[in-house]
Amino acid sequence: QVQLVESGGGLVKPGGSLRLSCAASGFTFSDYYMSWIRQAPGKGLEWVSYISSSSSYTNYADSVKGRFTISRDNAKNSLYLQMNSLRAEDTAVYYCARVGPRGVNKLGLDAFDIWGQGTMVTVSS
Amino acid sequence: EIVLTQSPGTLSLSPGESATLSCRASQSVSSSYLAWYQQKPGQAPRLLIYGASSRATGIPDRFSGSGSGTDFTLTISRLEPEDFAVYYCQQYSTFGQGTRLEIK
C-alpha cells in the first residue's frame, strides 16, 4: 500500500544538526513532488519545504531558509531533510508528505495527499 | 503572503448534527488549490477535500467542500463520533490555524 515512513528524529542541542529521512513505498516516487511539514507541540501545521520530482526545484519557509536542506534519492525512494543550526523553536513533529499529482505551478501547490506518521525533533540543552 | 483564517476556533456539536467550518483567505486564491485536512490526536493529518470541493479517496460523502475567491466552507453532515477532530484548510504553503470540532 502507499506509505511514507519517517525516521531520524531525536533530541539535539541548540546549534546542532539532524538529518531526517522518509522512505516511500507503494507508488512511483519519482513522479511526485514531496514536502516536509511540521507541527510544534499543541500547535498547528507549518509547511517547511518542498522538492520537485527531479530535484530541480526546491522551496523553503522563511523560518528555515539557509538552515535546512531538502533532498531526495529517487533510486532509493527516499526523501531527506538536513537540519543545521537548530533552534528551540524547531522543536516539532516533522511529517513527510506527498504532493498531489498536479505538483506546483503558478496557481498553487497541490494538496498533500499522503502523509507519514511523523518523527519528533526536540531541540533542547 | 496569504493568510488563512478559520472560524470558529472551536465548534461544539452532538453526533447526528451538521457542522459548518469556515476558511477565509486574506486575498483571492485559486479554488483549484484549496484543501481541507482532518487530524485526530496523535495522528498525522488526512486529506479530506482538494480543489475546494473534490473528496479525496475513501472520504465519506457526508464531507463536502464549497467556496471560491476568499471564502471556503467545509460541511460535515450527520456527524459521526469519529468526526470529532481538528480541521485545517490549506492553500499553497499556508495552513489555517485550525478548527477544533468537539462533542457537546
Side-chain angles (χ1 to χ4, degrees):
Chain A
Q1 72 279 22
V2 176
Q3 194 173 5
L4 298 170
V5 179
E6 301 95 335
S7 60
L11 175 63
V12 61
K13 289 181 168 54
S17 297
L18 211 55
R19 189 194 195 208
L20 305 184
S21 299
C22 171
S25 59
F27 65 98
T28 305
F29 181 72
S30 58
D31 283 349
Y32 291 87
Y33 276 65
M34 296 294 295
S35 187
W36 289 97
I37 297 150
R38 68 184 181 183
Q39 187 170 36
K43 303 297 184 183
L45 300 169
E46 180 189 16
W47 169 79
V48 172
S49 180
Y50 69 68
I51 186 169
S52 64
S53 54
S54 62
S55 303
S56 299
Y57 304 106
T58 60
N59 198 7
Y60 299 90
D62 288 344
S63 58
V64 307
K65 199 170 292 184
R67 300 187 298 122
F68 290 11
T69 302
I70 191 171
S71 63
R72 65 190 294 163
D73 184 337
N74 287 344
K76 295 183 177 180
N77 291 336
S78 293
L79 176 73
Y80 306 101
L81 186 67
Q82 178 66 44
M83 304 186 294
N84 298 331
S85 303
L86 283 161
R87 307 166 179 165
E89 54 265 36
D90 295 319
T91 294
V93 175
Y94 284 74
Y95 295 103
C96 160
R98 189 179 81 173
V99 179
R102 295 176 297 174
V104 177
N105 58 50
K106 58 186 174 184
L107 289 180
L109 168 68
D110 206 358
F112 304 110
D113 61 354
I114 304 294
W115 295 65
Q117 85 288 351
T119 188
M120 183 69 202
V121 172
T122 302
V123 184
S124 175
S125 55
Chain B
E1 181 180 322
I2 292 170
V3 175
L4 298 177
T5 301
Q6 293 186 239
S7 61
T10 301
L11 186 57
S12 300
L13 293 170
S14 300
E17 293 187 298
S18 292
T20 301
L21 286 66
S22 173
C23 176
R24 177 162 291 178
S26 58
Q27 61 191 79
S28 184
V29 301
S30 169
S31 58
S32 297
Y33 291 89
L34 193 288
W36 290 92
Y37 302 85
Q38 176 193 67
Q39 187 179 32
K40 297 179 182 179
Q43 296 185 17
R46 176 175 70 148
L47 176 65
L48 295 176
I49 300 287
Y50 65 94
S53 60
S54 298
R55 275 186 299 277
T57 302
I59 301 303
D61 60 7
R62 63 178 182 275
F63 291 89
S64 63
S66 63
S68 63
T70 61
D71 291 306
F72 298 87
T73 300
L74 174 70
T75 301
I76 313 170
S77 58
R78 306 179 310 275
L79 283 166
E80 299 282 347
E82 62 266 28
D83 298 337
F84 292 91
V86 179
Y87 292 85
Y88 296 94
C89 59
Q90 172 249 333
Q91 206 283 335
Y92 206 88
S93 58
T94 300
F95 287 92
Q97 83 280 17
T99 289
R100 180 179 304 278
L101 177 58
E102 63 177 26
I103 298 178
K104 188 173 182 181

